[in-house]
Structures are given as structure tokens and as C-alpha cells.
Amino acid sequence: MKKIFLFLASYLIFGFNYLFSEEKMLKFVALGHIYPIIDNTRIMENLINKINSHQPDFVFILGDSKLHDLKYLNMFKSKIDSKIYFSPGNHELSKFRKEYEKNVGYLNTVIKTQNVQFLLINSSDDKKNIISFLEKNLEDNFEGYRVILTHHRIWDDTLISPNPYGHDKSFYFEDVYPLIKNKVNAIIAGNSKRQHFRDLTDDKFSFGKQNVNLIYWLDKIGDIELYAVGMGDGEPKANFIVAEIKKNNMLVKGDYTSIEKYDVLPRELVESNQLRFTIHNTKAIRELVKERYFLINKKKTFLLTIILFLVIFYLIFRVKKNEKKL
């Protein structure tokens, strides 16, 4: 009887420890570039209801979502049921930096749970400030899962602005990679997918290929997984990701809402300009954009003409001045 009692006691203790000591799963939603649909009440209600249906612990809105405007900020906070945090985009910071910081309360911040650390970074800032923030907050002894959340795809060096607070980031990934290597597990960026994958409309000088079904895409550098989750136009699909972190592993799933009645994009809505699908036709592309390059060259020619005229005028002036001295 004593042995049976000891066995049952051990079993209960083991079961209690298993139930209450096992690491809890953390779930979050991330999305960005919401401004194209933010004034469409029907689309936004569908999107927020779908986000809430996942019951995430956190929701991260990663820029270009009119976060500087208190009306929209309060809308997000009042309608999203989870804890919500923000990372600024170039749309907010290019003209409304003071308003954004006043309303949101931060440009960079850190959220830390027992096993996960989120670093929200202002990717429009200069290299020096970003490096300083990373050095301060990347603890060497942290053994959990670490995620950087930001607006720009900071790993993408094909899109760089000459100065901070421009349209794109102003630094190269190699400037920050040594700091985050072996310390950061994932980076999630909320900038528009339309810089690489178009939605239904675009100007004639952009050649990204059309893919309205794209929810997010994954890059990888070293051991860091890199997720681009921005939604582009938000129509016909308003997309976001749902991520679950448990035991130092992150599972990412894509989701979206749509008010359209079709699943497959009807062929009449597919861009008919074949140049955008057969992009290897270099000659045809040059023909399409020659007007733009002509204007650029025309400006250069005009500028050179003015410079030449000023030089000639200066030389004539010097000659006449010397003649007077003689």
C-alpha cells in the first residue's frame, strides 16, 4: 500500500510540474502599411475583427499607418483587443515626427516577457542612434527568443536613402549585422510589398511583378529569419502574419481579409501590359521609359549649357577688365 501511495504521489507531482512549469506559447500579430485602406470603414472592420479572432497576446503595427494622427491611434487602441505596440514608418516621420512621438510616446522601445524579447526600432533614424539602441538592449545573457520589429526591411540594401528620415533606410545591413549576429532570431518589417510585388495599380516606371496573393515573404541571412509583412494597397487582400513562439522556436502563418467575392483574381483585372510580365525584354523597357530618361538628360543638358554660358561670360569679363588696365 505504501508503494502504491508513493507511486501516486510521484505521478501527481510530475503531472503538476508538467502542467504548470511548461513554457507558455506566446502569440502575436504583425502588419504594416495600412494607410491605403485606413479610411475604408468596411475593410478596416473586417481586418480588425480577423486579427481579434486569433486572440494574440500582442499586436504590432509597423509604420505607414497614420500613427501620427491621434484619431487613428485611438481607433487601433480601442478596437484591437490585445496589447498593441507601434513602430514608426517614413510616412509618419517625414513630416510628423513630433506629433508621432507625442502621441505614441516612443520611437524605440523594448517589450520583454520571460522567454521573448521584442525590440521595436525606428529604422528611419541614423546609423549611430540605431547602433546605440542595439548595444544598450541586446543583453548577452538572454537565453530566450529575440525579435526585431521595424518598418523598413533593414536587411535589404537595394533601397537606401542618402540621409536619415528619407523614404528608405540610410544605412547598410553590414553596419548592424555584427551587433545582432547570434543574438537576434528574427526581424519583421512592415513596409509595403509593392516595392517588389505590385498590387493592381502602379505607375508606368515601376516594374515589380503583379502578385496580389502575396501575404509575406521570407529572407534569411546567417541564422536570422527575415520577414516582410507590409500589405501594399490592402486591396483586394489586407494581409498580416500570426506568429507563435514556444521553446525558442517561431511558427509564422499568413492571413488576410477581403471584401471581394472572388478567390482567384479575375483575368480582366490582371495587368494586360505584357512588358511588366516579360521584364527581360530590355529593349522594350528602354522604349517604355525613354521619356523619363529624356527629361533627365534634358535637365542635365540645360544645366551644362548654363554653366558653360557663365564660364564664357566670366572669361569675357576678365578679358575686358585686363584691356582697361592696359
Side-chain angles (χ1 to χ4, degrees), residues 39-269:
D39 290 310
N40 188 316
T41 303
R42 186 181 171 199
I43 292 178
M44 287 302 298
E45 283 183 356
N46 283 3
L47 175 63
I48 290 175
N49 288 339
K50 190 67 173 288
I51 289 172
N52 286 335
S53 72
H54 288 282
Q55 297 182 314
D57 298 292
F58 300 104
V59 172
F60 298 105
I61 296 180
L62 305 179
D64 283 4
S65 303
K66 292 193 175 182
L67 301 173
H68 62 281
D69 191 320
L70 200 56
K71 176 179 72 173
Y72 300 108
L73 201 66
N74 289 336
M75 181 269 292
F76 286 128
K77 289 181 176 180
S78 64
K79 293 189 176 182
I80 290 178
D81 296 335
S82 313
K83 293 179 182 178
I84 183 169
Y85 294 93
F86 308 94
S87 186
N90 52 283
H91 278 220
E92 287 95 3
L93 298 182
S94 59
K95 295 181 180 179
F96 308 104
R97 196 188 317 180
K98 289 182 179 179
E99 292 89 338
Y100 176 92
E101 192 167 11
K102 178 182 177 182
N103 293 337
V104 174
Y106 55 85
L107 294 178
N108 305 281
T109 193
V110 177
I111 300 103
K112 191 174 180 180
T113 69
Q114 182 179 356
N115 301 302
V116 183
Q117 185 182 39
F118 298 104
L119 294 92
L120 280 83
I121 291 179
N122 170 20
S123 55
S124 292
D125 207 345
D126 62 51
K127 176 177 66 177
K128 181 181 177 182
N129 290 337
I130 290 173
I131 289 174
S132 176
F133 177 79
L134 290 171
E135 288 176 336
K136 181 180 178 181
N137 292 285
L138 289 175
E139 305 169 19
D140 290 325
N141 60 350
F142 182 71
E143 297 181 356
Y145 198 90
R146 185 179 272 138
V147 184
I148 289 176
L149 297 121
T150 188
H151 178 64
H152 296 104
R153 293 178 292 276
I154 61 173
W155 64 90
D156 181 0
D157 290 335
T158 64
L159 298 165
I160 295 181
S161 292
N163 299 302
Y165 293 95
H167 185 270
D168 300 294
K169 63 166 187 167
S170 61
F171 55 92
Y172 287 94
F173 191 53
E174 66 179 19
D175 295 327
V176 299
Y177 182 62
L179 287 172
I180 66 177
K181 183 180 180 182
N182 301 322
K183 293 183 179 180
V184 171
N185 301 94
I187 302 174
I188 300 174
N191 203 6
S192 173
K193 67 180 182 179
R194 296 183 69 243
Q195 290 174 299
H196 294 287
F197 301 92
R198 294 189 304 108
D199 290 304
L200 294 179
T201 59
D202 204 358
D203 66 272
K204 70 178 183 179
F205 301 122
S206 299
F207 298 106
K209 297 199 175 185
Q210 187 175 35
N211 183 0
V212 300
N213 304 308
L214 181 72
I215 305 299
Y216 72 93
W217 79 89
L218 170 68
D219 295 324
K220 191 161 187 174
I221 296 176
D223 292 326
I224 305 176
E225 294 188 334
L226 312 159
Y227 297 88
V229 305
M231 71 170 58
D233 289 338
E235 296 184 71
K237 295 181 177 181
N239 56 282
F240 58 93
I241 64 164
V242 183
E244 298 175 349
I245 301 176
K246 188 175 183 180
K247 295 182 178 178
N248 280 358
N249 286 301
M250 184 167 74
L251 173 66
V252 177
K253 298 181 289 185
D255 205 349
Y256 69 93
T257 58
S258 178
I259 62 172
E260 304 299 340
K261 295 181 180 179
Y262 53 78
D263 291 322
V264 178
L265 185 67
R267 64 181 64 187
E268 63 268 18
L269 297 181

Side-chain angles (χ1 to χ4, degrees), residues 262-294:
Y262 53 78
D263 291 322
V264 178
L265 185 67
R267 64 181 64 187
E268 63 268 18
L269 297 181
V270 176
E271 173 61 60
S272 59
N273 186 341
Q274 293 302 309
L275 285 176
R276 300 190 181 176
F277 296 101
T278 58
I279 210 65
H280 298 295
N281 188 344
T282 307
K283 184 178 179 181
I285 294 171
R286 287 175 179 168
E287 183 68 21
L288 181 66
V289 300
K290 68 179 182 180
E291 180 182 348
R292 185 183 190 187
Y293 287 107
F294 171 75

